[in-house]
């Protein structure tokens, strides 16, 4: 043991280091390794609930844990840790057509282009997305509050008819508080232009607004909500319809109550729903888009 210690001291002298510096370095490596293991355990914990949650939101959700354990880790180091251990998320894109606007029903004007919301239940956006089943598809209808990003109503249906949209809207109306003016915005699909859907909006004194083209950016908030659910919270395929329905409920509970959203200052939609006035938008491209709109208006 003494000969090993003498040999270590001799090697350190050859390299220009003290043996104390060597032991300090070893201690640092051991501490760093333990901290990385703690971080990875937390990543696994959060990914059990939100399997495809992105690295940036993971880091924010884990910040209280990081502070408690006095771990120093920046964004780049954290991303590298995720990459080395196979935890980076790869995005996939695929599509099924859910909008059919070549129909006989009345189509309404777009009232929300350039519109700025200042409170919850001022503007709702609606859309439909699909879920893969082993033997086909199911269809998820959503009604989302544009201010808080809270999903106000939803319904999973077996067929692409107006029934699912109507039931999602009815749930949203049941969850609505107060009777302040409300705009409902959607694409021009036959489901949203159907007589029954429009009657439900009119009966509840909702102003109707619709996109004027097939460009998804005209209903960008609804498309973004679809993307979050499918990329982060829902499986790529479900064995049957019943399991898909259960999974959607769990996913929306997580989305509304647990997941921080960069579009509402890293609050959950449930928290943001009780605020008023401007909310800081942290998502990528927001400030560039704002600057473009100011330039074009000027």
């Amino acid at each position: 043991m003494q000969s090993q210690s003498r040999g270590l001291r001799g090697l350190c002298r050859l390299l220009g280091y003290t043996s104390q510096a060597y032991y300090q370095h070893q201690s640092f490596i051991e501490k760093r390794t333990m901290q990385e293991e703690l971080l990875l355990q937390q990543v696994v914990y959060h990914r059990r609930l939100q399997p495809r949650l992105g690295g940036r939101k993971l880091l924010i959700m884990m910040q209280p844990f990081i502070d408690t354990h006095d771990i120093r880790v920046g964004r780049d180091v954290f991303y590298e840790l995720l990459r080395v251990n196979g935890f980076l998320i790869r995005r996939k894109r695929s599509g099924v057509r859910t909008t059919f606007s070549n129909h006989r029903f009345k189509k309404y004007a777009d009232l929300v282009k350039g519109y700025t919301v200042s409170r919850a239940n001022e503007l709702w956006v609606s859309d439909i997305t699909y879920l893969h089943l082993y033997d086909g598809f199911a269809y998820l209808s959503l009604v989302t509050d544009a201010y808080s990003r809270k999903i106000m109503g939803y319904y999973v249906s077996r067929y692409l008819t107006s029934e699912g949209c109507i039931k999602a809207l009815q749930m949203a109306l049941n969850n609505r508080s107060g009777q302040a003016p409300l705009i409902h915005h959607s694409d021009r699909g036959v489901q949203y232009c159907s007589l029954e859907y429009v009657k439900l909006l009119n009966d509840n004194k909702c102003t109707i607004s619709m996109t004027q083209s097939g460009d998804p950016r005209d209903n960008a908030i609804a498309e973004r909500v679809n993307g979050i659910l499918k990329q982060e919270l829902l499986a790529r395929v479900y064995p049957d319809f019943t399991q898909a329905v259960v999974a959607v409920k769990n996913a929306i509970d997580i989305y509304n109550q647990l997941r921080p959203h960069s579009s509402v200052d890293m609050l959950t939609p449930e928290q943001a729903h009780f605020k008023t006035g401007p909310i800081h938008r942290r998502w990528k491209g927001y400030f560039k888009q704002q600057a473009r709109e100011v330039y074009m208006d000027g």
Side-chain angles (χ1 to χ4, degrees):
M1 189 72 176
Q2 290 180 350
S3 62
Q4 288 180 348
S5 180
R6 284 195 300 270
L8 178 60
R9 285 197 297 270
L11 181 60
C12 288
R13 282 197 300 272
L14 286 173
L15 296 173
Y17 298 105
T18 65
S19 56
Q20 182 182 11
Y22 169 81
Y23 287 118
Q24 286 177 343
H25 183 64
Q26 287 296 106
S27 177
F28 171 80
I29 291 175
E30 290 176 3
K31 180 180 178 182
R32 192 66 186 173
T33 301
M34 292 177 62
Q35 289 179 340
E36 289 180 353
E37 180 62 28
L38 283 173
L39 289 173
L40 290 173
Q41 289 177 7
Q42 283 295 298
V43 169
V44 171
Y45 169 76
H46 287 290
R47 284 274 173 81
R48 283 175 183 164
L49 283 177
Q50 305 183 60
R52 290 186 289 279
L53 184 68
R56 191 158 64 108
K57 293 183 176 67
L58 261 176
L59 185 58
I60 290 171
M61 292 181 71
M62 290 169 53
Q63 198 60 53
F65 176 87
I66 290 170
D67 293 341
T68 300
H69 290 83
D70 195 26
I71 299 174
R72 299 185 182 278
V73 58
R75 183 190 63 183
D76 293 343
V77 172
F78 183 69
Y79 271 56
E80 180 63 14
L81 183 65
L82 294 179
R83 186 191 68 78
V84 169
N85 290 275
F87 283 115
L88 284 181
I89 302 299
R90 297 183 181 275
R91 306 293 190 189
K92 286 189 176 181
R93 293 185 180 272
S94 58
V96 170
R97 188 180 178 197
T98 56
T99 300
F100 300 88
S101 57
N102 185 21
H103 52 75
R104 63 181 177 85
F105 298 106
K106 178 180 177 180
K107 304 175 183 70
Y108 292 76
D110 186 345
L111 305 178
V112 303
K113 189 175 287 293
Y115 189 88
T116 301
V117 290
S118 59
R119 58 171 173 80
N121 295 320
E122 181 178 359
L123 170 62
W124 287 354
V125 295
S126 294
D127 199 15
I128 308 169
T129 191
Y130 65 94
L131 305 172
H132 274 293
L133 308 178
Y134 282 166
D135 59 351
F137 295 98
Y139 299 93
L140 171 60
S141 300
L142 296 165
V143 180
T144 304
D145 184 82
Y147 177 80
S148 65
R149 303 305 202 261
K150 180 179 178 180
I151 295 174
M152 301 295 293
Y154 67 93
Y155 189 81
V156 183
S157 55
R158 294 182 181 273
Y159 307 104
L160 192 56
T161 65
S162 60
E163 179 192 15
C165 298
I166 291 168
K167 290 188 175 180
L169 176 59
Q170 189 61 67
M171 177 188 287
L173 292 168
N174 292 340
N175 290 330
R176 178 187 182 189
S177 58
Q179 293 296 316
L182 171 62
I183 299 174
H184 176 280
H185 185 69
S186 68
D187 59 43
R188 299 186 299 170
V190 65
Q191 298 91 340
Y192 298 117
C193 296
S194 68
L195 297 178
E196 191 175 356
Y197 197 90
V198 169
K199 182 178 185 303
L200 186 57
L201 289 172
N202 288 332
D203 288 347
N204 286 274
K205 296 181 173 53
C206 300
T207 302
I208 303 174
S209 171
M210 292 183 178
T211 62
Q212 299 303 295
S213 70
D215 190 340
R217 288 174 297 183
D218 288 349
N219 202 8
I221 293 174
E223 294 288 342
R224 175 58 180 153
V225 173
N226 288 346
I228 291 171
L229 290 175
K230 295 178 72 173
Q231 292 172 4
E232 296 183 13
L233 299 173
L234 293 171
R236 301 198 186 284
V237 61
Y238 290 99
D240 55 48
F241 180 79
T242 301
Q243 291 189 45
V245 171
V246 173
V248 165
K249 181 185 184 307
N250 292 336
I252 290 177
D253 286 344
I254 292 171
Y255 171 96
N256 276 341
Q257 300 172 23
L258 296 179
R259 184 188 185 275
H261 291 250
S262 52
S263 57
V264 288
D265 201 17
M266 288 303 174
L267 301 172
T268 66
E270 190 69 40
Q271 292 169 330
H273 205 67
F274 293 97
K275 299 181 73 68
T276 57
I279 295 183
H280 184 49
R281 312 294 181 183
R282 296 177 182 267
W283 40 266
K284 296 177 182 178
Y286 174 78
F287 296 105
K288 291 182 180 179
Q289 177 64 28
Q290 293 293 93
R292 280 197 298 269
E293 291 178 359
V294 170
Y295 175 78
M296 292 175 66
D297 290 343

